[in-house]
Amino acid sequence: MNESHPTGGLPLASRGTRIGATLIELAIIFLAPVIGALAFIVWSLIVWDKGQTPGKQCLKLQVLHLGTRAPVSWGRMALRQFVYPLCVQLGALVLLGVLLTVPGANVGAPELLILYLLMLAIVAAVNVVLFAVTPLRQTIFDKMCNTVVVDQQRRSYSWDAPSSETAYKDSSKDLPPPPPPPTVF
């Protein structure tokens, strides 16, 4: 290497290469959230069939239907995770639309955004309160779908008393009894 040369004798990167590197970095910065979101959506669509979300799968949690005490179907997970929350958001938007039709209401975009976020914050607060005070730790969407979230690591799938090997409090005692089996004539 040439110590007197500013680059130590190494060739300078061309302007085109430098611009290309910057474009790649910008693409990573802007596309990573998109790719991450797409990966999350695909992962969600796959694990919903097991009554889980990506986060619940990582923490070994599962969503069970209270009536059957079985993992919920893909369709019920879609309702719980997507359709019902979307309905809440659309409801908030409808309320904002009604507000816009009020005579003399001079509401601009910033105010509408603040009101929309405030409505969603109220729903989130109700969710937190329900989660904190209901015996089965259910949120609004759990109640709408008749579901409960269980910890697969800390409980067996037996809805009877835990085995003698189990040294934890069985959370199934908090659940209502299962429905009787169907009668066959």
Side-chain angles (χ1 to χ4, degrees), residues 52-72:
Q52 295 178 310
T53 61
K56 286 177 180 56
Q57 186 180 43
C58 289
L59 296 176
K60 306 237 186 297
L61 304 177
Q62 192 167 39
V63 180
L64 302 182
H65 186 272
L66 277 175
T68 63
R69 296 189 175 174
V72 297

Side-chain angles (χ1 to χ4, degrees), residues 5 8 33-34 47 56 101-102 120 123 127:
H5 195 274
V34 172
V47 298
K56 286 177 180 56
T101 63
V102 173
L120 295 182
V123 170
N127 246 350

Side-chain angles (χ1 to χ4, degrees), residues 24-145:
I24 288 171
E25 291 164 359
L26 288 174
I28 291 171
I29 289 169
F30 289 108
L31 291 180
V34 172
I35 292 169
L38 290 174
F40 181 81
I41 290 168
V42 169
W43 186 7
S44 294
L45 295 174
I46 291 169
V47 298
W48 282 357
D49 197 42
K50 300 171 187 164
Q52 295 178 310
T53 61
K56 286 177 180 56
Q57 186 180 43
C58 289
L59 296 176
K60 306 237 186 297
L61 304 177
Q62 192 167 39
V63 180
L64 302 182
H65 186 272
L66 277 175
T68 63
R69 296 189 175 174
V72 297
S73 66
W74 189 94
R76 191 168 295 265
M77 281 300 288
L79 284 173
R80 184 180 183 275
Q81 298 301 126
F82 179 72
V83 175
Y84 290 152
L86 181 65
C87 290
V88 167
Q89 291 182 15
L90 291 175
L93 289 174
V94 167
L95 287 174
L96 291 177
V98 169
L99 178 64
L100 287 174
T101 63
V102 173
N106 189 11
V107 182
E111 292 87 2
L112 286 176
L113 178 62
I114 290 169
L115 286 172
Y116 176 71
L117 294 174
L118 180 63
M119 287 183 219
L120 295 182
I122 290 169
V123 170
V126 169
N127 246 350
V128 168
V129 168
L130 279 175
F131 176 75
V133 301
T134 58
L136 298 180
R137 301 179 192 137
Q138 291 175 294
T139 63
I140 293 170
F141 306 118
D142 283 318
K143 293 213 170 268
M144 292 171 84
C145 288

Side-chain angles (χ1 to χ4, degrees), residues 64 66 69 136 148 150 154-162 168-178:
L64 302 182
L66 277 175
R69 296 189 175 174
L136 298 180
V148 65
V150 297
R154 294 185 19 191
R155 65 173 300 286
S156 67
Y157 275 102
S158 168
W159 291 90
D160 302 325
Y168 59 86
K169 178 185 176 290
D170 184 16
S171 62
S172 67
K173 293 178 193 170
D174 298 334
L175 297 173

